[in-house]
């Protein structure tokens, strides 16, 4: 996702776009826009500027279908085509992943969905993540569309990692600026006793990268606290006890309520977030409701993160820029 030119709040209003912040550090609701329409470049610029400023933006009452969803995403960058998806994803739209696929995942490995979820979130912080954070080039942004949601529950929460970094003391910022952490697929999963088919699945498809613990945002220049509850377990150059203590402290900082926003979904809602500057927590309160929650996402291709020293991330295994 790239910025062609800055746009002022006044220019956005002139284009008929209203951006209304919904929390102190993150999140804004955008109205006056029909995402299924052929949007003017000024409107696209206003949305792009709002995403960069507020990290996640929300649209309500949209009438996007799969074609419109992909077309809208392409106005902001190259869309990711996933080589492997579940049966719920639309076969004719390789850019779209339907999140109901995740409900099937545990069953393929002998687990009910609630057990699979518990093993991925066996601590309070484990569920927080950015999309595909173990890749050398995590997606720049994600656009998620709600088709069917429960009558209650199912909210998603996001955290502003730029604000979390800025909220650290100056001494701690200086310390973490020079650190790097290994992001690895599946390190947050708690194995089942005995043979675990899901662990074998993860090992067969291992993905890992060494990312700066503080990355510089390629468009805004902000310093981003690049922590991740699900993919990160070890800071390079530190012992495991040191690494664990520092990561827990940084994760707790990142998800402090003042740096977060929680969104109540409705059918037709769309959330568009900067995956480089946020992490999010998918809901864990819907399995017992007996009501479907069907969401569709499209991701935009990202770049290789760079640290404060300008040094880029390093691929460890199973990942290469632009190759999914």
């Amino acid at each position: 996702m790239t910025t062609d030119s800055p746009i002022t709040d006044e220019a956005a209003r002139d284009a008929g776009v209203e951006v209304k912040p919904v929390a102190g550090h993150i999140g804004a609701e955008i109205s006056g826009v029909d995402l299924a329409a052929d949007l003017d470049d000024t409107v696209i610029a206003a949305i792009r500027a709002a995403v960069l400023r507020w990290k996640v933006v929300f649209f309500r009452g949209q009438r996007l279908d799969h074609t419109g969803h992909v077309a809208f995403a392409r106005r902001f960058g190259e869309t990711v085509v996933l080589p492997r998806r579940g049966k719920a994803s639309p076969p004719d739209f390789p850019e779209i992943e339907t999140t109901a696929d995740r409900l099937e995942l545990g069953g393929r490995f002998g687990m009910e969905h609630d057990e699979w979820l518990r093993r991925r979130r066996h601590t309070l912080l484990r569920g927080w993540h950015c999309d595909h954070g173990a890749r050398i080039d995590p997606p720049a942004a994600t656009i998620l569309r709600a088709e069917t949601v429960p009558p209650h529950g199912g909210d998603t929460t996001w955290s502003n990692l730029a604000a979390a970094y800025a909220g650290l003391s100056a001494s701690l910022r200086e310390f973490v600026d020079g650190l790097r952490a290994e992001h690895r697929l599946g390190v947050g999963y708690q194995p089942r006793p005995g043979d675990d088919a899901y662990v074998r699945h993860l090992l067969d498809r291992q993905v890992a990268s060494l990312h700066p613990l503080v990355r510089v945002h390629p468009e805004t220049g902000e310093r981003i606290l690049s922590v991740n509850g699900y993919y990160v377990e070890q800071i390079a150059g530190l012992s495991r006890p040191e690494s664990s203590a520092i990561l827990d402290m940084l994760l707790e900082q990142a998800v402090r309520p003042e740096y977060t926003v929680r969104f109540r979904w409705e059918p037709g809602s769309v959330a568009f977030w900067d995956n480089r500057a946020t992490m999010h927590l998918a809901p864990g309160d819907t399995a017992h409701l007996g009501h479907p929650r069907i969401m569709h996402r499209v991701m935009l291709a990202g770049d290789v993160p760079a640290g404060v020293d300008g040094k880029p991330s390093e691929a460890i295994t199973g990942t290469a820029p632009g190759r999914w």
Side-chain angles (χ1 to χ4, degrees), residues 128-179:
W128 286 91
H129 67 286
C130 69
D131 287 333
H132 294 276
R135 285 186 54 86
I136 186 65
D137 56 346
T142 298
I143 303 172
L144 185 64
R145 166 173 56 103
E147 178 181 319
T148 304
V149 298
H152 52 273
D155 299 355
T156 305
T157 308
W158 289 263
S159 173
N160 181 339
L161 297 177
Y165 171 83
L168 295 171
S169 67
S171 297
L172 190 53
R173 291 198 301 269
E174 184 178 359
F175 173 62
V176 298
D177 278 350
L179 297 177

Side-chain angles (χ1 to χ4, degrees), residues 206-217:
Q206 196 52 244
V207 177
S209 302
L210 190 67
H211 288 309
L213 197 56
V214 179
R215 72 172 293 184
V216 177
H217 196 287

